[in-house]
Amino acid sequence: MPTVVVATGNPGKLKEMQVYLDALGWELQLKPDAIDIKETGTTFLENARLKASGVAQALGQWAIADDSGLQVKALGGAPGIYSARYAPSDRARIDRLLQELEGIDHRQAQFVCALALANPAGQIVVETEGICPGEILLAPRGTGGFGYDPIFYVPALGQSFAEMSPQQKEQHSHRGVAFNQLMPKLQQLALE
């Protein structure tokens, strides 16, 4: 069973990735805290490439990276690539976003997930990007998920990400879309 390092310190992302990658028989592990890859890209895909490549090179192992975040149309795409750094905690990020949208009726948003897989030499061998359109609620709803999930509403399903079952979120989220695009490519790869 090949070991693939997930280029994140976020256990929530590791848990979600494991669900998508279970069929491949990969053993996933979080990157060591000592490895800190600077996210200097200007897009989600550039940052995913940087993280996957940097971790793969540092460890000499296969590495997969996810860079994802929330883009709100009324805020010019913010928080965008700064979604995780928009405030110091999930609650603070939600509060800041809701405050910035106060009085704004048009609350269209999208979650974006870019994925990149690097070989042990740090070369990107597979990449993709998934998008889930939605809107920002006036107040949090639901208890599941993490991050902005309680305020991200998917009109087609009539639920926030935090109200969805794990299976619904797995199927409809930006990460689900990205992994659905990535899986056929990954199944053709033989990791050594």
Short mmCIF file of all heavy atoms in Angstrom, two decimals, residues 69-75 77-80 83 86 93-111 132-141 147-155 159-161:
data_model
loop_
_atom_site.label_atom_id
_atom_site.label_comp_id
_atom_site.label_asym_id
_atom_site.label_seq_id
_atom_site.Cartn_x
_atom_site.Cartn_y
_atom_site.Cartn_z
N GLY A 69 -11.02 27.25 -1.04
CA GLY A 69 -11.52 28.39 -0.31
C GLY A 69 -12.82 28.90 -0.91
O GLY A 69 -13.35 28.36 -1.87
N LEU A 70 -13.27 29.94 -0.30
CA LEU A 70 -14.55 30.55 -0.62
C LEU A 70 -14.34 31.86 -1.36
O LEU A 70 -13.53 32.68 -0.94
CB LEU A 70 -15.31 30.81 0.70
CG LEU A 70 -16.69 31.43 0.61
CD1 LEU A 70 -17.66 30.50 -0.12
CD2 LEU A 70 -17.20 31.73 2.01
N GLN A 71 -15.07 32.03 -2.45
CA GLN A 71 -15.04 33.28 -3.20
C GLN A 71 -16.45 33.88 -3.17
O GLN A 71 -17.41 33.22 -3.57
CB GLN A 71 -14.61 33.05 -4.64
CG GLN A 71 -13.20 32.54 -4.77
CD GLN A 71 -12.82 32.22 -6.21
OE1 GLN A 71 -13.61 31.68 -6.97
NE2 GLN A 71 -11.59 32.54 -6.58
N VAL A 72 -16.55 35.12 -2.70
CA VAL A 72 -17.84 35.80 -2.61
C VAL A 72 -17.86 36.92 -3.64
O VAL A 72 -17.01 37.81 -3.62
CB VAL A 72 -18.08 36.36 -1.19
CG1 VAL A 72 -19.43 37.06 -1.10
CG2 VAL A 72 -18.01 35.23 -0.16
N LYS A 73 -18.84 36.85 -4.54
CA LYS A 73 -18.90 37.79 -5.66
C LYS A 73 -18.96 39.24 -5.20
O LYS A 73 -18.24 40.10 -5.72
CB LYS A 73 -20.10 37.45 -6.55
CG LYS A 73 -20.15 38.23 -7.83
CD LYS A 73 -21.28 37.76 -8.73
CE LYS A 73 -21.27 38.53 -10.03
NZ LYS A 73 -22.34 38.07 -10.93
N ALA A 74 -19.81 39.54 -4.22
CA ALA A 74 -19.99 40.93 -3.75
C ALA A 74 -18.72 41.49 -3.09
O ALA A 74 -18.59 42.70 -2.94
CB ALA A 74 -21.16 41.02 -2.77
N LEU A 75 -17.81 40.61 -2.72
CA LEU A 75 -16.56 41.04 -2.08
C LEU A 75 -15.38 40.93 -3.05
O LEU A 75 -14.22 40.85 -2.64
CB LEU A 75 -16.28 40.21 -0.82
CG LEU A 75 -17.35 40.27 0.27
CD1 LEU A 75 -16.98 39.37 1.44
CD2 LEU A 75 -17.56 41.71 0.74
N GLY A 77 -14.47 38.47 -4.87
CA GLY A 77 -13.81 37.18 -4.81
C GLY A 77 -13.18 36.86 -3.46
O GLY A 77 -12.66 35.77 -3.27
N ALA A 78 -13.20 37.80 -2.54
CA ALA A 78 -12.66 37.55 -1.19
C ALA A 78 -13.61 36.60 -0.46
O ALA A 78 -14.79 36.53 -0.79
CB ALA A 78 -12.53 38.87 -0.42
N PRO A 79 -13.10 35.86 0.49
CA PRO A 79 -11.73 35.81 0.97
C PRO A 79 -10.76 35.09 0.04
O PRO A 79 -9.56 35.22 0.18
CB PRO A 79 -11.83 35.13 2.32
CG PRO A 79 -13.09 34.33 2.27
CD PRO A 79 -14.00 35.05 1.33
N GLY A 80 -11.26 34.29 -0.91
CA GLY A 80 -10.41 33.68 -1.92
C GLY A 80 -9.28 32.84 -1.33
O GLY A 80 -9.50 32.05 -0.42
N SER A 83 -8.83 32.45 2.45
CA SER A 83 -9.98 31.95 3.23
C SER A 83 -9.59 31.44 4.60
O SER A 83 -10.26 31.74 5.59
CB SER A 83 -10.71 30.85 2.46
OG SER A 83 -11.32 31.37 1.30
N TYR A 86 -8.41 34.43 6.96
CA TYR A 86 -9.30 35.59 6.99
C TYR A 86 -9.53 36.09 8.41
O TYR A 86 -9.84 37.24 8.64
CB TYR A 86 -10.61 35.19 6.33
CG TYR A 86 -11.37 36.29 5.64
CD1 TYR A 86 -10.74 37.15 4.73
CD2 TYR A 86 -12.73 36.45 5.86
CE1 TYR A 86 -11.45 38.13 4.08
CE2 TYR A 86 -13.44 37.43 5.20
CZ TYR A 86 -12.81 38.26 4.31
OH TYR A 86 -13.51 39.23 3.65
N ARG A 93 -13.91 33.77 11.33
CA ARG A 93 -13.98 33.92 9.87
C ARG A 93 -15.44 34.09 9.44
O ARG A 93 -15.75 34.94 8.60
CB ARG A 93 -13.34 32.71 9.18
CG ARG A 93 -11.82 32.72 9.24
CD ARG A 93 -11.21 31.59 8.43
NE ARG A 93 -11.19 30.31 9.12
CZ ARG A 93 -10.27 29.95 10.00
NH1 ARG A 93 -9.30 30.78 10.33
NH2 ARG A 93 -10.31 28.77 10.58
N ILE A 94 -16.31 33.28 10.01
CA ILE A 94 -17.73 33.39 9.68
C ILE A 94 -18.26 34.76 10.10
O ILE A 94 -18.95 35.44 9.33
CB ILE A 94 -18.53 32.24 10.35
CG1 ILE A 94 -18.22 30.93 9.63
CG2 ILE A 94 -20.03 32.54 10.36
CD1 ILE A 94 -18.78 29.70 10.32
N ASP A 95 -17.95 35.18 11.31
CA ASP A 95 -18.41 36.48 11.81
C ASP A 95 -17.93 37.62 10.93
O ASP A 95 -18.70 38.53 10.60
CB ASP A 95 -17.96 36.71 13.25
CG ASP A 95 -18.68 35.81 14.25
OD1 ASP A 95 -19.72 35.21 13.88
OD2 ASP A 95 -18.19 35.69 15.39
N ARG A 96 -16.66 37.58 10.53
CA ARG A 96 -16.12 38.65 9.68
C ARG A 96 -16.83 38.69 8.34
O ARG A 96 -17.21 39.76 7.85
CB ARG A 96 -14.62 38.44 9.47
CG ARG A 96 -14.03 39.49 8.53
CD ARG A 96 -12.54 39.34 8.34
NE ARG A 96 -12.07 40.32 7.36
CZ ARG A 96 -10.86 40.35 6.86
NH1 ARG A 96 -9.95 39.46 7.26
NH2 ARG A 96 -10.52 41.25 5.97
N LEU A 97 -17.03 37.52 7.73
CA LEU A 97 -17.69 37.47 6.43
C LEU A 97 -19.12 37.98 6.52
O LEU A 97 -19.55 38.78 5.68
CB LEU A 97 -17.65 36.04 5.89
CG LEU A 97 -18.10 35.88 4.44
CD1 LEU A 97 -17.19 36.66 3.50
CD2 LEU A 97 -18.10 34.41 4.06
N LEU A 98 -19.85 37.55 7.53
CA LEU A 98 -21.23 38.01 7.68
C LEU A 98 -21.29 39.52 7.91
O LEU A 98 -22.17 40.20 7.39
CB LEU A 98 -21.93 37.26 8.82
CG LEU A 98 -22.19 35.77 8.56
CD1 LEU A 98 -22.83 35.11 9.77
CD2 LEU A 98 -23.02 35.56 7.31
N GLN A 99 -20.34 40.03 8.68
CA GLN A 99 -20.30 41.47 8.93
C GLN A 99 -20.02 42.23 7.62
O GLN A 99 -20.65 43.25 7.34
CB GLN A 99 -19.23 41.79 9.96
CG GLN A 99 -19.15 43.26 10.34
CD GLN A 99 -18.09 43.52 11.40
OE1 GLN A 99 -17.23 42.69 11.67
NE2 GLN A 99 -18.15 44.68 12.02
N GLU A 100 -19.11 41.74 6.82
CA GLU A 100 -18.77 42.41 5.56
C GLU A 100 -19.91 42.36 4.55
O GLU A 100 -20.01 43.21 3.68
CB GLU A 100 -17.49 41.82 4.97
CG GLU A 100 -16.27 42.19 5.79
CD GLU A 100 -14.98 41.61 5.25
OE1 GLU A 100 -14.99 40.88 4.24
OE2 GLU A 100 -13.93 41.91 5.86
N LEU A 101 -20.79 41.37 4.69
CA LEU A 101 -21.93 41.23 3.77
C LEU A 101 -23.21 41.87 4.32
O LEU A 101 -24.24 41.81 3.66
CB LEU A 101 -22.18 39.76 3.46
CG LEU A 101 -21.17 39.09 2.54
CD1 LEU A 101 -21.44 37.59 2.45
CD2 LEU A 101 -21.18 39.73 1.17
N GLU A 102 -23.11 42.45 5.50
CA GLU A 102 -24.30 43.06 6.11
C GLU A 102 -24.90 44.09 5.15
O GLU A 102 -24.21 44.95 4.63
CB GLU A 102 -23.92 43.72 7.43
CG GLU A 102 -25.11 43.93 8.34
CD GLU A 102 -24.65 44.30 9.75
OE1 GLU A 102 -23.91 43.51 10.36
OE2 GLU A 102 -25.07 45.38 10.20
N GLY A 103 -26.20 43.97 4.91
CA GLY A 103 -26.91 44.90 4.04
C GLY A 103 -26.79 44.61 2.56
O GLY A 103 -27.37 45.31 1.73
N ILE A 104 -26.05 43.57 2.19
CA ILE A 104 -25.89 43.21 0.78
C ILE A 104 -26.86 42.08 0.45
O ILE A 104 -26.88 41.03 1.10
CB ILE A 104 -24.43 42.77 0.49
CG1 ILE A 104 -23.48 43.96 0.72
CG2 ILE A 104 -24.30 42.24 -0.94
CD1 ILE A 104 -22.02 43.62 0.58
N ASP A 105 -27.68 42.32 -0.57
CA ASP A 105 -28.69 41.33 -0.95
C ASP A 105 -28.13 40.22 -1.84
O ASP A 105 -28.56 39.07 -1.76
CB ASP A 105 -29.85 42.00 -1.68
CG ASP A 105 -30.65 42.92 -0.77
OD1 ASP A 105 -30.69 42.66 0.45
OD2 ASP A 105 -31.22 43.91 -1.27
N HIS A 106 -27.22 40.57 -2.72
CA HIS A 106 -26.67 39.58 -3.66
C HIS A 106 -25.50 38.88 -2.98
O HIS A 106 -24.44 39.45 -2.79
CB HIS A 106 -26.23 40.27 -4.96
CG HIS A 106 -27.35 41.01 -5.62
ND1 HIS A 106 -28.40 40.37 -6.24
CD2 HIS A 106 -27.61 42.34 -5.72
CE1 HIS A 106 -29.25 41.27 -6.70
NE2 HIS A 106 -28.78 42.47 -6.40
N ARG A 107 -25.73 37.62 -2.61
CA ARG A 107 -24.76 36.90 -1.78
C ARG A 107 -24.21 35.67 -2.49
O ARG A 107 -23.88 34.68 -1.87
CB ARG A 107 -25.43 36.54 -0.45
CG ARG A 107 -25.89 37.79 0.31
CD ARG A 107 -26.78 37.47 1.48
NE ARG A 107 -26.04 37.04 2.65
CZ ARG A 107 -25.54 37.85 3.58
NH1 ARG A 107 -25.69 39.15 3.47
NH2 ARG A 107 -24.91 37.37 4.62
N GLN A 108 -24.11 35.77 -3.85
CA GLN A 108 -23.58 34.64 -4.60
C GLN A 108 -22.13 34.38 -4.20
O GLN A 108 -21.36 35.30 -3.97
CB GLN A 108 -23.61 34.90 -6.12
CG GLN A 108 -25.00 34.98 -6.69
CD GLN A 108 -25.32 36.40 -7.12
OE1 GLN A 108 -24.81 37.36 -6.55
NE2 GLN A 108 -26.17 36.53 -8.10
N ALA A 109 -21.83 33.09 -4.15
CA ALA A 109 -20.48 32.67 -3.76
C ALA A 109 -20.19 31.33 -4.42
O ALA A 109 -21.08 30.69 -4.98
CB ALA A 109 -20.40 32.54 -2.24
N GLN A 110 -18.94 30.95 -4.35
CA GLN A 110 -18.57 29.60 -4.79
C GLN A 110 -17.39 29.12 -3.96
O GLN A 110 -16.55 29.89 -3.54
CB GLN A 110 -18.22 29.56 -6.27
CG GLN A 110 -17.01 30.37 -6.67
CD GLN A 110 -16.75 30.32 -8.17
OE1 GLN A 110 -17.61 29.93 -8.96
NE2 GLN A 110 -15.54 30.68 -8.57
N PHE A 111 -17.43 27.81 -3.71
CA PHE A 111 -16.28 27.16 -3.11
C PHE A 111 -15.46 26.59 -4.26
O PHE A 111 -16.01 26.03 -5.21
CB PHE A 111 -16.71 26.01 -2.19
CG PHE A 111 -16.71 26.35 -0.73
CD1 PHE A 111 -17.87 26.26 0.01
CD2 PHE A 111 -15.54 26.73 -0.09
CE1 PHE A 111 -17.88 26.55 1.37
CE2 PHE A 111 -15.53 27.01 1.26
CZ PHE A 111 -16.70 26.93 1.99
N CYS A 132 -18.13 24.56 -6.60
CA CYS A 132 -19.52 24.38 -6.15
C CYS A 132 -20.14 25.76 -5.97
O CYS A 132 -19.73 26.51 -5.09
CB CYS A 132 -19.57 23.61 -4.84
SG CYS A 132 -21.26 23.37 -4.22
N PRO A 133 -21.11 26.13 -6.82
CA PRO A 133 -21.76 27.42 -6.67
C PRO A 133 -22.78 27.40 -5.53
O PRO A 133 -23.37 26.37 -5.23
CB PRO A 133 -22.45 27.63 -8.02
CG PRO A 133 -22.66 26.26 -8.57
CD PRO A 133 -21.58 25.39 -7.98
N GLY A 134 -22.97 28.57 -4.91
CA GLY A 134 -23.94 28.68 -3.83
C GLY A 134 -24.12 30.12 -3.43
O GLY A 134 -23.89 31.03 -4.23
N GLU A 135 -24.52 30.32 -2.18
CA GLU A 135 -24.68 31.67 -1.66
C GLU A 135 -24.43 31.66 -0.16
O GLU A 135 -24.41 30.62 0.48
CB GLU A 135 -26.07 32.23 -1.98
CG GLU A 135 -27.21 31.37 -1.53
CD GLU A 135 -28.55 31.80 -2.14
OE1 GLU A 135 -28.65 31.85 -3.37
OE2 GLU A 135 -29.47 32.04 -1.36
N ILE A 136 -24.21 32.86 0.36
CA ILE A 136 -23.91 33.00 1.78
C ILE A 136 -25.20 33.30 2.54
O ILE A 136 -25.94 34.23 2.20
CB ILE A 136 -22.87 34.12 2.03
CG1 ILE A 136 -21.59 33.85 1.23
CG2 ILE A 136 -22.58 34.27 3.52
CD1 ILE A 136 -20.89 32.55 1.56
N LEU A 137 -25.46 32.51 3.57
CA LEU A 137 -26.65 32.70 4.41
C LEU A 137 -26.49 33.94 5.30
O LEU A 137 -25.39 34.45 5.50
CB LEU A 137 -26.85 31.47 5.30
CG LEU A 137 -27.22 30.18 4.57
CD1 LEU A 137 -27.06 28.98 5.50
CD2 LEU A 137 -28.64 30.26 4.04
N LEU A 138 -27.60 34.39 5.88
CA LEU A 138 -27.57 35.52 6.81
C LEU A 138 -27.04 35.11 8.18
O LEU A 138 -26.53 35.95 8.93
CB LEU A 138 -28.97 36.12 6.96
CG LEU A 138 -29.56 36.75 5.69
CD1 LEU A 138 -31.02 37.13 5.91
CD2 LEU A 138 -28.74 37.95 5.25
N ALA A 139 -27.17 33.81 8.50
CA ALA A 139 -26.70 33.29 9.80
C ALA A 139 -26.34 31.82 9.62
O ALA A 139 -26.86 31.16 8.72
CB ALA A 139 -27.80 33.44 10.85
N PRO A 140 -25.46 31.29 10.47
CA PRO A 140 -25.07 29.89 10.36
C PRO A 140 -26.25 28.93 10.54
O PRO A 140 -27.17 29.20 11.32
CB PRO A 140 -24.06 29.71 11.51
CG PRO A 140 -23.55 31.08 11.79
CD PRO A 140 -24.71 32.00 11.51
N ARG A 141 -26.17 27.80 9.81
CA ARG A 141 -27.17 26.73 9.92
C ARG A 141 -26.46 25.39 9.86
O ARG A 141 -25.62 25.18 9.00
CB ARG A 141 -28.18 26.81 8.76
CG ARG A 141 -29.17 27.90 8.90
CD ARG A 141 -30.24 27.99 7.83
NE ARG A 141 -30.44 26.87 6.95
CZ ARG A 141 -31.15 26.94 5.82
NH1 ARG A 141 -31.73 28.08 5.47
NH2 ARG A 141 -31.30 25.88 5.06
N GLY A 147 -15.02 24.98 8.94
CA GLY A 147 -14.79 26.21 8.19
C GLY A 147 -16.06 27.01 7.95
O GLY A 147 -16.85 27.24 8.87
N TYR A 148 -16.27 27.40 6.71
CA TYR A 148 -17.42 28.23 6.33
C TYR A 148 -18.69 27.41 6.08
O TYR A 148 -19.72 27.97 5.69
CB TYR A 148 -17.09 29.02 5.06
CG TYR A 148 -15.95 30.00 5.20
CD1 TYR A 148 -14.66 29.66 4.85
CD2 TYR A 148 -16.19 31.29 5.68
CE1 TYR A 148 -13.61 30.56 4.96
CE2 TYR A 148 -15.14 32.21 5.80
CZ TYR A 148 -13.86 31.83 5.44
OH TYR A 148 -12.83 32.74 5.56
N ASP A 149 -18.65 26.10 6.29
CA ASP A 149 -19.78 25.22 5.97
C ASP A 149 -21.13 25.70 6.51
O ASP A 149 -22.13 25.60 5.81
CB ASP A 149 -19.51 23.79 6.43
CG ASP A 149 -18.46 23.08 5.58
OD1 ASP A 149 -17.94 23.69 4.62
OD2 ASP A 149 -18.15 21.91 5.89
N PRO A 150 -21.21 26.22 7.74
CA PRO A 150 -22.53 26.62 8.26
C PRO A 150 -23.18 27.81 7.53
O PRO A 150 -24.38 28.03 7.67
CB PRO A 150 -22.23 27.00 9.72
CG PRO A 150 -20.97 26.30 10.06
CD PRO A 150 -20.18 26.28 8.78
N ILE A 151 -22.41 28.58 6.77
CA ILE A 151 -23.01 29.74 6.08
C ILE A 151 -23.01 29.58 4.57
O ILE A 151 -23.50 30.45 3.86
CB ILE A 151 -22.34 31.08 6.47
CG1 ILE A 151 -20.85 31.07 6.14
CG2 ILE A 151 -22.62 31.41 7.94
CD1 ILE A 151 -20.18 32.44 6.26
N PHE A 152 -22.49 28.47 4.05
CA PHE A 152 -22.49 28.25 2.61
C PHE A 152 -23.69 27.40 2.25
O PHE A 152 -23.79 26.23 2.61
CB PHE A 152 -21.20 27.58 2.14
CG PHE A 152 -21.11 27.48 0.64
CD1 PHE A 152 -20.78 28.59 -0.12
CD2 PHE A 152 -21.38 26.29 -0.02
CE1 PHE A 152 -20.72 28.52 -1.50
CE2 PHE A 152 -21.31 26.20 -1.40
CZ PHE A 152 -20.99 27.32 -2.14
N TYR A 153 -24.61 27.99 1.49
CA TYR A 153 -25.90 27.38 1.15
C TYR A 153 -25.89 26.96 -0.31
O TYR A 153 -25.49 27.74 -1.19
CB TYR A 153 -27.00 28.41 1.41
CG TYR A 153 -28.39 27.96 1.08
CD1 TYR A 153 -29.08 27.09 1.92
CD2 TYR A 153 -29.03 28.43 -0.05
CE1 TYR A 153 -30.38 26.70 1.63
CE2 TYR A 153 -30.33 28.04 -0.35
CZ TYR A 153 -31.00 27.17 0.49
OH TYR A 153 -32.29 26.79 0.20
N VAL A 154 -26.33 25.73 -0.57
CA VAL A 154 -26.43 25.22 -1.93
C VAL A 154 -27.91 25.20 -2.31
O VAL A 154 -28.66 24.31 -1.87
CB VAL A 154 -25.80 23.82 -2.05
CG1 VAL A 154 -25.89 23.31 -3.49
CG2 VAL A 154 -24.36 23.84 -1.57
N PRO A 155 -28.39 26.18 -3.10
CA PRO A 155 -29.81 26.27 -3.43
C PRO A 155 -30.39 25.01 -4.06
O PRO A 155 -31.53 24.63 -3.77
CB PRO A 155 -29.87 27.45 -4.42
CG PRO A 155 -28.69 28.29 -4.09
CD PRO A 155 -27.63 27.30 -3.68
N GLN A 159 -29.84 23.26 1.35
CA GLN A 159 -29.13 23.06 2.61
C GLN A 159 -27.78 23.78 2.59
O GLN A 159 -27.19 23.98 1.52
CB GLN A 159 -28.83 21.57 2.82
CG GLN A 159 -30.03 20.70 3.02
CD GLN A 159 -29.62 19.24 3.18
OE1 GLN A 159 -28.92 18.69 2.35
NE2 GLN A 159 -30.06 18.62 4.27
N SER A 160 -27.31 24.09 3.80
CA SER A 160 -25.92 24.54 3.93
C SER A 160 -25.05 23.29 3.93
O SER A 160 -25.53 22.18 4.17
CB SER A 160 -25.73 25.32 5.23
OG SER A 160 -25.72 24.45 6.34
N PHE A 161 -23.74 23.48 3.69
CA PHE A 161 -22.83 22.35 3.79
C PHE A 161 -22.91 21.71 5.17
O PHE A 161 -22.79 20.50 5.31
CB PHE A 161 -21.38 22.80 3.53
CG PHE A 161 -20.95 22.78 2.09
CD1 PHE A 161 -19.68 23.21 1.75
CD2 PHE A 161 -21.77 22.33 1.07
CE1 PHE A 161 -19.23 23.19 0.43
CE2 PHE A 161 -21.34 22.31 -0.25
CZ PHE A 161 -20.07 22.74 -0.57
#
